[in-house]
């Protein structure tokens, strides 16, 4: 009986202790913080709330703003500090809610500097709660770098053909990170570049969680072995930085920034005919026109048959054969080469060489002149037409003869 009585007393003491502890826990202060949206674009509104339960009389709630390792106090003792009052964008109010107190901070027209971790701390306790808030920002600086030198937008970049140089496009201070695209004319050549996205500023978020704590990115696309060709002369290379990540509260779509440079590639002259074989009719004139690209300007050009029986310079004539070069574009130094035979002879049906040079070097273009004899061409449309007419005439004559018969 005595043992049972002692057990009953122990049980009752345990129950009373549990009830007492539960009461203490139930009355323990706690802080809960919420935010209307964790991401926003510049100019939008956001509201942060701290709800404190079982707050003791005289206790103080402090609202801090933390960016990296720097912490600033926004409110203390239910008062918004002057630094934040003076912005005109921040409103603060305290509302009793029965068993809790609501602290509400409203930021109107958010700016980039509002990106931070906001922390509600119940003074003299270990109680706190926090939220992270990030303001989207488009790329503030986008630039091409050629051989380590920054180029201005639409700048003409002087390059030497075949000389290897590093080419890169950098986009800085963006959130979320921008995706870089490189375009040559209408062609997307991004896959030729290595790309990276570097977290520039942050604290605690790290690259695995880039949206935390005032983080932003520096993105780049880099090609270390770019070797320009003469075809790149006058070519526009465009860099686009596109923020492709679209969050639920990101209402303004894809932000796009772009810049471009124009290549001025120095190279030896190039005669760029579509073919090397040409046909001429004996006794008739023949004119050949081909694009000629040179940068810098053409210094010398000559035309001669393969056997070098004569050498023509511009403005000279040999048996009715002459040529001229006409520049058509000053920047790319494009032009047209025109070779003329006034009356082609069978002795002029041969191979010719056009030799060009400038300070970058020299080039040779070889062309062949063949006889174009339509009368001996069984596939000549004129011959075929005559043959069809003759056959038709014979058939018609046969039909008339049968009728008359």
């Amino acid at each position: 009986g005595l043992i049972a009585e002692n057990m009953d007393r122990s049980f009752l003491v345990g129950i009373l202790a549990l009830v007492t502890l539960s009461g203490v826990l139930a009355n323990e202060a706690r802080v809960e913080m919420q935010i209307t949206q964790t991401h926003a674009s510049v100019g939008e509104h956001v509201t942060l709330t701290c709800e404190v339960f079982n707050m003791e009389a005289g206790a103080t709630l402090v609202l801090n703003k933390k960016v990296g390792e720097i912490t600033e106090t926004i409110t203390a003792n239910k008062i918004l500090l002057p630094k934040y009052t003076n912005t005109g964008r921040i409103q603060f109010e305290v509302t009793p809610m029965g068993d809790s107190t609501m602290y509400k901070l409203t930021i109107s027209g958010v700016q980039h500097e509002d990106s931070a971790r906001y922390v509600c701390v119940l003074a003299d306790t270990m109680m706190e709660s926090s939220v992270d808030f990030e303001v989207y920002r488009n790329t503030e600086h986008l630039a091409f770098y050629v051989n380590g030198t920054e180029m201005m937008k639409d700048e003409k970049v002087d390059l030497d053909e075949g000389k290897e140089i590093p080419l890169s496009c950098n986009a800085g201070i963006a959130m979320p990170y921008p995706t870089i695209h490189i375009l040559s004319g209408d062609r997307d050549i991004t896959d030729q570049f290595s790309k990276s996205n570097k977290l520039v500023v942050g604290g605690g978020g790290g690259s695995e969680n880039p949206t935390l704590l005032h983080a932003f990115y520096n993105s780049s696309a880099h090609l270390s072995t770019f070797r320009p060709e003469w075809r790149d002369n006058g070519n526009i290379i465009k860099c686009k930085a596109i923020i492709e990540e679209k969050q639920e509260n990101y209402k303004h779509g894809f932000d796009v920034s772009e810049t471009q440079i124009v290549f001025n590639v120095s190279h030896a002259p190039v005669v760029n005919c579509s073919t090397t074989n040409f046909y001429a009719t004996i006794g008739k004139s023949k004119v050949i026109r081909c694009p000629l690209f040179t940068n810098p300007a053409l210094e010398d050009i000559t035309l001669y048959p393969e056997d070098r029986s004569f050498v023509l310079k511009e403005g000279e004539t040999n048996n009715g054969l002459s040529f001229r070069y006409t520049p058509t574009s000053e920047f790319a130094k494009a032009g047209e080469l025109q070779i003329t035979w006034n009356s082609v002879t069978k002795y002029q049906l041969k191979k010719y060489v056009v030799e060009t040079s400038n300070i970058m070097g020299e080039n040779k273009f070889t062309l062949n002149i063949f006889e174009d004899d339509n009368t001996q061409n069984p596939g000549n449309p004129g011959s075929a037409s005559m043959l069809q007419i003759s056959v038709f005439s014979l058939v018609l004559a046969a039909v008339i003869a049968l009728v008359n018969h």
Side-chain angles (χ1 to χ4, degrees):
L2 181 61
I3 296 176
E5 184 178 346
N6 289 335
M7 290 180 63
D8 291 340
R9 288 179 179 176
S10 299
F11 177 74
L12 289 173
V13 171
I15 292 296
L16 288 173
L18 181 61
V19 170
T20 302
L21 179 61
S22 298
V24 172
L25 291 176
N27 293 322
E28 188 176 71
R30 72 180 192 276
V31 181
E32 293 182 0
M33 190 172 188
Q34 294 182 346
I35 189 169
T36 52
Q37 59 193 70
T38 57
H39 295 80
S41 297
V42 171
E44 294 184 335
H45 307 306
V46 65
T47 299
L48 303 94
T49 59
C50 291
E51 188 171 6
V52 184
F53 297 87
N54 304 318
M55 186 174 181
E56 294 182 3
T60 301
L61 183 83
V62 178
L63 177 58
N64 291 329
K65 174 183 177 183
K66 186 176 182 181
V67 179
E69 301 302 321
I70 301 174
T71 300
E72 294 181 350
T73 299
I74 302 176
T75 68
N77 295 322
K78 302 181 180 180
I79 298 174
L80 185 66
L81 297 187
K83 174 181 178 180
Y84 295 94
T85 304
N86 295 336
T87 66
R89 299 186 299 109
I90 299 178
Q91 304 295 324
F92 179 65
E93 59 183 277
V94 182
T95 306
M97 304 284 291
D99 63 344
S100 66
T101 304
M102 181 72 73
Y103 297 79
K104 184 167 73 172
L105 185 79
T106 301
I107 305 175
S108 301
V110 297
Q111 302 297 315
H112 295 143
E113 59 266 25
D114 296 322
S115 298
R117 170 169 288 173
Y118 291 86
V119 185
C120 285
V121 181
L122 194 56
D124 301 324
T125 74
M126 298 296 292
M127 300 298 170
E128 70 174 44
S129 182
S130 64
V131 293
D132 295 303
F133 175 64
E134 192 70 52
V135 179
Y136 286 110
R137 60 196 307 168
N138 196 17
T139 297
E140 294 185 3
H141 186 71
L142 180 69
F144 262 118
Y145 288 83
V146 178
N147 208 18
T149 302
E150 182 178 348
M151 301 289 111
M152 301 296 291
K153 185 177 181 180
D154 297 320
E155 184 171 351
K156 295 175 181 177
V157 181
D158 294 321
L159 306 172
D160 289 340
E161 184 178 34
K163 183 178 180 181
E164 182 178 303
I165 60 165
L167 179 68
S168 63
C169 180
N170 286 15
I173 312 182
M175 187 67 209
Y177 71 81
T179 301
I180 291 182
H181 296 269
I182 309 293
L183 296 93
S184 175
D186 294 329
R187 293 187 305 117
D188 192 318
I189 59 173
T190 309
D191 57 351
Q192 300 178 26
F193 289 71
S194 60
K195 294 183 291 182
S196 66
N197 296 295
K198 180 183 178 183
L199 189 66
V200 179
V201 172
S207 59
E208 295 180 358
N209 200 348
T211 61
L212 296 179
L213 309 183
H214 202 52
F216 60 83
Y217 274 97
N218 183 339
S219 299
S220 65
H222 182 72
L223 181 63
S224 59
T225 57
F226 180 73
R227 293 184 179 90
E229 300 180 358
W230 68 267
R231 293 177 179 83
D232 294 319
N233 197 11
N235 194 18
I236 295 176
I237 302 294
K238 183 177 293 186
C239 176
K240 287 186 176 182
I242 306 173
I243 296 180
E244 295 178 332
E245 180 182 342
K246 194 171 184 180
Q247 301 286 344
E248 180 181 354
N249 294 311
Y250 191 25
K251 299 181 176 63
H252 300 300
F254 298 167
D255 279 346
V256 179
S257 297
E258 63 180 47
T259 188
Q260 63 186 34
I261 55 178
V262 185
F263 286 153
N264 181 29
V265 182
S266 298
H267 61 92
V270 177
V271 177
N272 193 37
C273 294
S274 58
T275 181
T276 58
N277 297 326
F278 300 89
Y279 295 86
T281 301
I282 292 177
K284 293 187 177 181
S285 64
K286 176 66 179 179
V287 178
I288 295 174
R289 295 182 176 89
C290 294
L292 194 160
F293 300 94
T294 178
N295 188 33
L298 195 66
E299 289 191 345
D300 191 32
I301 179 170
T302 56
L303 171 67
Y304 52 84
E306 189 178 34
D307 59 8
R308 296 186 72 93
S309 54
F310 61 87
V311 177
L312 283 180
K313 289 187 174 293
E314 189 173 12
E316 297 178 347
T317 302
N318 183 283
N319 292 327
L321 171 63
S322 62
F323 74 91
R324 68 180 181 185
Y325 166 67
T326 305
T328 57
S329 171
E330 175 59 28
F331 170 61
K333 302 295 188 298
E336 181 184 75
L337 173 64
Q338 178 177 308
I339 305 174
T340 303
W341 290 261
N342 289 336
S343 179
V344 178
T345 67
K346 65 178 182 178
Y347 301 106
Q348 292 177 320
L349 301 175
K350 59 178 66 178
K351 186 176 291 186
Y352 294 86
V353 177
V354 178
E355 188 172 311
T356 55
S357 66
N358 63 13
I359 62 173
M360 294 299 295
E362 63 179 40
N363 265 326
K364 294 180 181 181
F365 176 75
T366 302
L367 57 98
N368 300 292
I369 304 297
F370 299 99
E371 182 179 4
D372 184 13
D373 188 357
N374 289 333
T375 60
Q376 297 180 6
N377 187 353
N380 179 29
S383 301
S385 299
M386 292 300 295
L387 179 61
Q388 290 171 357
I389 293 173
S390 299
V391 171
F392 177 76
S393 300
L394 291 173
V395 172
L396 181 62
V399 171
I400 292 173
L402 288 173
V403 171
N404 290 336
H405 187 273

